[in-house]
Amino acid sequence: ASRRAAHGQGPRRAERGARDLVSLEPRHAEELGVLAKEMRLDLAHRFLHDILREALDGASPEERRQLWVTVHSFPSLSLLEASFPEEVVEDAVREIEAHLLREYPELLGMTRLQRDEIACASLGPPRPLSMRGASARRRRFALERITVRGEPLFLSVRSGSSAYEDGIDATELLRRARVAHVTAGGRDEDDTQIYDLAMDRAVEAEARLLGRLVRAIDRNELDLIYQPQVQLASGRLVGAEALVRWSGDDGNPVPPGRLIAAAERAGSVVPLGGWVLREACRQAAQWRADGLPPFHVAVNVSPIQLHRTDLVRSVTEALEAHDLTPDWLELEITESGAMAGGDEAVRTAHALRD
C-alpha cells in the first residue's frame, strides 16, 4: 500500500510539470518550432519511463505483473486543434484526462506523447479491459462526448494496452502498448486492443505497406474507378463517384478501408486527396472531350483535407487546370467531419458553394 501511495503522488506531481512544459509548444510554435516538439516528446517519454522504472525497481515478480501501460489516441482532437482556439483544446484535454482518471483502478501517471496521444501507467488494467465477459462495445472506453465550456464535443478513442511480463523492461513495455495501439487504429473507429506477439508481425507488414503507399502516390501508381450514378426514372447518367484503388506488390487490391487507414497513419491523406481531386478533374475533361453530356464527378473529401488545407484553392486550381466549370465537380463531406470542424468547416463550405 505504501508503494502504491508513493507511486500515485510522485508521478502526478511530475506530470503537472511535464504538462506545463508541453503547453509551451502550441503557444510559441513559430518561435520554438521543431526543437520544441522534440523537447516535448523527449520529456514525455522520459517521464513515462521514469514512472515505469520506479514501479519495476524493487518490486516482486507478483507486483510487476500488475503493471499495465495503455496508449490512447483521440483522432478528433487533431481536428479540434485546427478549428478551435488553443484554450478550448486544452479544456478538452483536461476533460479527457479527468475521464481517464476514472477509468483506472490505480493510476501511476499519465503524459501526452503526441498532440492527440496520452499514455497511462497503472496497477491493473483500465476498467473497460477488466470487464471479463462483457460485449466488445461495453469494453470500449465510454468517451463518446465531453462537455467543454457548456458545449458537447464528440470524440472517438483508440487504445492499445500491454501488461508486464517477466524479462521485459520499461522500454519494451511501452513499445508493446504502442504496437497494440497501432493495431487498434486499423480497426473500428473506437477500439481497444491488448498486445500479443502476433501483432508484431502485423505491424511490420503494415510498415512495409505504408512505405509502398507513399511511393505509389509519388509515382502516380494509384487507380481511380468510377461508380455510375443513374436517375432511376429516366435511366440517364447524372454522375459518377470517384473511388481510389491500389494494388500491392503481390498484385492483389488493397481493401479501401485499409488503404485510407494506411494513408492516415503515413500522413499521406492530403497528397492522396489532392491526387484524387486532380485525376477526377482530368477524367471529367476527357469525358467532355469525348462528347459525353455534362454530369458531375463526385469526390470524397476527408476531414483532414477540410481542416488542414486550403481546400477552396485546391479545388479552384484543379478545375482551372482542365478548364472545367464547377458543375462538373461534386464534393462529398461526411457529417462527422463537418461537425468536428465547427465554424471553420461552415466557412469553408460556404466558400466552396460561392
Side-chain angles (χ1 to χ4, degrees), residues 13-52:
R13 288 197 296 269
E15 189 265 336
R16 282 197 293 271
R19 188 188 301 148
D20 289 342
L21 181 55
V22 168
S23 67
L24 290 174
E25 193 269 336
R27 273 197 281 274
H28 304 287
E30 293 184 0
E31 295 86 352
L32 299 179
V34 175
L35 178 60
K37 182 178 179 181
E38 292 177 350
M39 289 175 60
R40 182 187 72 181
L41 294 178
D42 182 64
L43 178 64
H45 281 88
R46 286 173 182 266
F47 167 71
L48 190 62
H49 277 80
D50 286 347
I51 293 174
L52 296 176

Side-chain angles (χ1 to χ4, degrees), residues 8 20 33 48-49 87 127 179 182 184 196 206-207 224 260 278 286 307 321 324 333:
D20 289 342
L48 190 62
H49 277 80
E87 53 269 23
R127 187 170 292 113
V179 167
V182 169
D196 65 55
E206 192 73 8
L224 275 189
I260 299 304
R278 294 187 297 274
Q286 183 61 54
H307 305 300
L324 292 175
I333 302 172

Side-chain angles (χ1 to χ4, degrees), residues 187-301:
R187 302 183 182 218
D188 296 337
E189 184 172 316
D190 294 279
D191 196 14
T192 297
Q193 294 294 314
I194 303 174
Y195 173 84
D196 65 55
L197 292 174
M199 289 181 177
D200 284 325
R201 293 188 294 273
V203 169
E204 289 175 7
E206 192 73 8
R208 292 193 294 271
L209 177 71
L210 296 184
R212 294 199 301 268
L213 175 59
V214 172
R215 290 193 296 271
I217 295 173
D218 291 341
R219 298 171 183 174
N220 199 28
E221 295 174 350
L222 303 173
D223 295 309
L224 275 189
I225 64 172
Y226 297 88
Q227 181 171 288
Q229 298 173 336
V230 178
Q231 187 179 67
L232 292 179
S234 64
R236 182 172 63 90
L237 179 68
V238 295
E241 181 179 7
L243 303 171
V244 64
R245 295 293 184 263
W246 176 53
S247 296
D249 289 347
D250 58 3
N252 294 322
V254 177
R258 188 183 179 198
L259 170 59
I260 299 304
E264 290 176 350
R265 285 194 288 277
S268 299
V269 169
V270 170
L272 175 61
W275 178 85
V276 170
L277 179 63
R278 294 187 297 274
E279 178 61 20
C281 288
R282 184 202 65 77
Q283 182 60 66
Q286 183 61 54
W287 282 329
R288 181 187 59 186
D290 292 341
L292 271 67
F295 59 87
H296 66 256
V297 178
V299 173
N300 291 296
V301 175

